[in-house]
Amino acid sequence: MKIMVVGGGGREHAIIKKLKENKNAEKIYALPGNGGIAADAECVSIKAADIPAIVDFAKTNGIDYAVVAPDDPLVLGCVDELEKEGIPCFGPKANAAIIEGSKVFSKNLMKKYGIPTAEYAVFSDAEEAVKYVETAPVPTVIKADGLALGKGVIIAQTREEAKEAIKEIMQDKKFGKSGDNIVIEEFLTGPEVSVLSFTDGETVVPMISSMDHKRALDGDKGLNTGGMGTIAPNPYYTEEVAEECMQKIFLPTIKAMKQEGREFRGCLYFGLMITPDGPKVIEYNCRFGDPETQVVLPLLESDLLEIMQAVTNGTLKETQVNFSKKSACCVILASKGYPVSYQSGFELTLPECDENSEIFVAGAKKDGDKLLSAGGRVLGVTATADTLEEAVKRAYALSDKVGFENGFCRRDIGARALAIGGNK
Ligand code: AMP
Ligand code: GLY
């Protein structure tokens, strides 16, 4: 079977390594992949959002199955175009990917179907939005409607900050057309949990829960990033919380999408906050999370390709999806200065991994035999173990062996989870 994975970060590396465990995966292409992924797949220099080139490549190379991992090609209809050519895909069509592509859509969906989320109001007019925040409680949360490279959410501590955010998004067009509409939302509190799920539109199977660490610096300080590390499972996600999420959030969301004629097939990511009033949805993503995937998939005991194909074929109900009882920790090594400005081109030397560890390459390019850093987030060092404490220790021990002169990492990935007792 010839498989094509669209995307080129650490998440895609983790997906590719897992797909390779299936003997039928005789050839895997990554579009565009990266210098590190090249060890596990043939990288083809086609950008993940260049849908005509992706479709053309799939047709000329006899691709049997496609996995579309990043948000932009999904929202732009990559799966629709590939399916028109008869190529089976893992990932939602554009009319379902809108659950991430438009926050106005997802908030209105939750309201219509009674799915717990923060109170909100939608604005297409900056003056009205400003008038609204003059009396709204602070902190308040301002969100650009569309995709904004993960930067479209501003938590305003004061009304002045809120007004400034409205101006930047709606008038200065900091995120382009994504800011034509905004959502202003109630500020919620509580620990956050990421739950990725497989769904074929009827059945939803949550994967093991995880916790992201979004801020750049230790102690949750510094700027928001794409994610500086993850652990799984998330100790705040107890069996009781899981059951409540299933009944009040997961099943109602899948049903709602179906009822709207927007059946979701693929990985639906629930970004949750466990508030004093129970779990609420902070955001939906129409894809695997990054770097959540780098801790979730190493704990998957079942065959990823079989599960993905069951999602595509609508047979998820009959498919085994088992996770190990172990824990995992992924430490991200980023370029100094990330997420603001950083330099690339530093040599990376990767230590040997054992059966309990893996290094996923997020941003690197090859230069002859050498591997050079290329991007903000560069490597994801993952270790698994019987306890979270041990997984964290192993992930740091391995990341300390990486040669990367310009790299830095947070030293406290997993600390919050361990403080409440980890998973044991
Ligand atoms: P996002 O870019 O959608 O992942 O949001 C970034 C972060 O903003 C989330 O992980 C939360 O920590 C925070 N956030 C988003 N919405 C809210 C909210 N309504 N209340 C409190 N924090 C929020
Ligand atoms: N780690 C957060 C995301 O993938 O959106």
Side-chain angles (χ1 to χ4, degrees):
M1 212 177 160
K2 286 188 185 173
I3 303 173
M4 164 178 103
V5 176
V6 175
R11 162 186 58 200
E12 287 76 11
H13 199 186
I15 291 171
I16 287 166
K17 277 185 177 246
K18 204 73 196 174
L19 287 173
K20 272 179 75 177
E21 290 175 12
N22 185 306
K23 292 199 171 52
N24 294 325
E26 66 202 49
K27 176 94 194 170
I28 304 186
Y29 295 96
L31 282 60
N34 67 47
I37 291 177
D40 293 290
E42 185 173 327
C43 295
V44 181
S45 118
I46 292 176
K47 290 208 174 84
D50 188 350
I51 295 176
I54 293 169
V55 174
D56 194 48
F57 176 84
K59 272 165 51 185
T60 45
N61 290 278
I63 295 298
D64 300 299
Y65 193 66
V67 178
V68 182
D71 47 3
D72 22 347
L74 290 167
V75 170
L76 291 170
C78 190
V79 168
D80 307 55
E81 296 307 314
L82 288 166
E83 285 185 356
K84 271 186 210 154
E85 299 297 335
I87 297 158
C89 295
F90 182 85
K93 291 189 182 171
N95 77 344
I98 192 175
I99 200 166
E100 173 170 3
S102 166
K103 294 209 192 303
V104 174
F105 170 85
S106 65
K107 294 299 289 189
N108 290 343
L109 183 87
M110 289 186 269
K111 189 174 189 182
K112 180 170 172 188
Y113 291 89
I115 297 164
T117 189
E119 294 295 331
Y120 72 103
V122 174
F123 297 92
S124 55
D125 182 274
E127 277 175 29
E128 278 179 32
V130 165
K131 215 190 277 167
Y132 176 85
V133 295
E134 269 162 8
T135 55
V138 282
T140 189
V141 185
I142 319 276
K143 298 186 172 182
D145 176 39
L147 297 180
L149 299 169
K151 297 191 180 112
V153 175
I154 293 159
I155 300 187
Q157 299 295 336
T158 62
R159 296 203 169 105
E160 281 316 306
E161 274 179 43
K163 286 183 202 169
E164 185 55 29
I166 293 167
K167 181 176 171 290
E168 280 179 8
I169 299 176
M170 299 191 88
Q171 289 170 335
D172 305 346
K173 297 278 175 215
K174 194 172 174 187
F175 307 116
K177 284 189 76 59
S178 288
D180 286 353
N181 295 299
I182 58 165
V183 171
I184 300 185
E185 202 171 88
E186 168 199 13
F187 177 74
L188 299 176
T189 55
E192 288 181 58
V193 180
S194 305
V195 180
L196 321 186
S197 69
F198 292 110
T199 175
D200 61 4
E202 284 283 342
T203 302
V204 56
V205 180
M207 299 180 219
I208 196 162
S209 62
S210 54
M211 183 193 288
D212 195 0
H213 298 68
K214 286 201 167 126
R215 299 296 198 96
L217 307 174
D218 284 17
D220 290 328
K221 303 239 161 55
L223 293 172
N224 246 325
T225 71
M228 291 299 293
T230 36
I231 57 105
N234 185 323
Y236 289 102
Y237 192 70
T238 59
E239 270 178 40
E240 210 183 343
V241 172
E243 183 53 27
E244 195 177 348
C245 289
M246 182 54 107
Q247 298 309 327
K248 293 189 180 159
I249 296 174
F250 305 161
L251 289 170
T253 301
I254 301 305
K255 265 196 208 149
M257 289 298 278
K258 191 165 182 204
Q259 209 150 314
E260 295 291 310
R262 296 174 181 274
E263 194 177 68
F264 190 105
R265 289 188 183 203
C267 173
L268 182 54
Y269 166 135
F270 298 90
L272 307 168
M273 195 172 265
I274 315 301
T275 76
D277 300 329
K280 294 190 180 179
V281 177
I282 288 281
E283 60 163 352
Y284 292 114
N285 291 323
C286 65
R287 51 170 176 86
F288 283 95
D290 190 341
E292 284 89 343
T293 306
Q294 291 91 310
V295 284
V296 169
L297 290 186
L299 295 173
L300 177 66
E301 289 178 336
S302 310
D303 186 88
L304 180 62
L305 182 56
E306 278 176 21
I307 299 169
M308 286 184 158
Q309 288 180 299
V311 165
T312 308
N313 299 331
T315 55
L316 184 58
K317 202 172 177 181
E318 297 109 67
T319 307
Q320 287 284 325
V321 183
N322 295 325
F323 282 88
S324 143
K325 295 267 178 282
K326 292 185 174 184
S327 291
C329 172
C330 173
V331 175
I332 296 291
L333 299 185
S335 299
K336 277 181 197 152
Y338 173 76
V340 183
S341 64
Y342 49 81
Q343 291 181 313
S344 288
F346 290 84
E347 188 172 356
L348 305 169
T349 50
L350 306 186
E352 283 291 314
C353 295
D354 60 19
E355 70 276 16
N356 299 312
S357 56
E358 287 179 277
I359 297 180
F360 302 114
V361 181
K365 62 171 194 254
K366 270 173 84 167
D367 178 19
D369 288 344
K370 288 186 185 164
L371 194 59
L372 305 181
S373 65
R377 291 189 295 175
V378 175
L379 301 170
V381 179
T382 294
T384 58
D386 287 338
T387 63
L388 179 62
E389 192 176 9
E390 191 57 31
V392 170
K393 252 191 226 158
R394 285 185 191 170
Y396 276 110
L398 189 60
S399 58
D400 287 340
K401 288 190 195 149
V402 170
F404 178 19
E405 196 191 306
N406 188 48
F408 83 98
C409 64
R410 272 180 66 163
R411 299 301 313 184
D412 65 344
I413 303 303
R416 187 170 180 195
L418 285 171
I420 67 150
N423 66 330
K424 291 269 145 76

